[in-house]
Amino acid sequence: MFYYRRADFFTTFAYLNFYAMYPEMLVKPMKSELTNAGFEDLITPTAVDNAVKREGTVLLVFNSVCGCSAGAARPGILLSLKNDKKPDYLTTVFAGFDVEATAQARRYTLPYPPSSPSIALFKDGKLVHFIERHHIEGHSANMVAENLKAAFDEYC
């Protein structure tokens, strides 16, 4: 096992990003489910900062390779967009692949612990709604969609 010891936090994340958990050929089709629907793929910490700090509402999806992401999160997110009220911006990071961007995005969702998949809704740079993995895992895409639609109706 290789142990990487470096005091510089961001350099450590750069190292981890070089050794992403998942290969691109596995991740690409899962990313495209959202990017083909108009989601902005945030692949750098700066892109995350710029997206979250926008005026208006920003939906940020922590995408992942797990079964609950494929079976409930992504389909539920896409169903939720068939609503009268929707976020102004649709964004996504991919956990285990875009390591630095995901780490930066998770700073904005504190005090919630890191979980993937998860879904955050921001309004004028403030976190107003968060769906953790345990609210997705074991639930249907329709339940995820209804949760998001209620948030959209309240905040968008």
Side-chain angles (χ1 to χ4, degrees), residues 35-152:
T35 57
N36 288 346
F39 281 75
E40 178 185 357
D41 190 16
L42 307 176
I43 60 172
T44 67
T46 302
V48 170
D49 290 339
N50 292 339
V52 170
K53 293 177 182 178
R54 291 175 178 150
E55 284 188 30
T57 51
V58 177
L59 185 67
L60 174 60
V61 176
F62 292 83
N63 201 351
S64 74
V65 299
C66 72
C68 60
S69 190
R74 289 190 300 269
I77 291 160
L78 296 176
L79 280 172
S80 75
L81 299 176
K82 296 176 181 173
N83 193 45
D84 290 336
K85 293 185 177 181
K86 295 177 232 174
D88 298 314
Y89 304 97
L90 305 173
T91 64
T92 183
V93 294
F94 205 98
F97 187 75
D98 298 318
V99 177
E100 291 175 324
T102 302
Q104 186 67 9
R106 286 184 170 149
R107 289 184 177 108
Y108 289 102
T109 61
L110 291 171
Y112 294 99
S115 67
S116 303
S118 57
I119 309 161
L121 181 65
F122 297 90
K123 183 169 186 170
D124 298 328
K126 293 185 179 14
L127 181 65
V128 294
H129 189 73
F130 192 69
I131 301 175
E132 297 177 85
R133 179 188 174 106
H134 68 88
H135 293 122
I136 298 168
E137 191 173 32
H139 295 87
S140 70
N142 285 332
M143 290 176 78
V144 172
E146 291 306 313
N147 184 318
L148 286 171
K149 286 179 183 181
F152 297 165

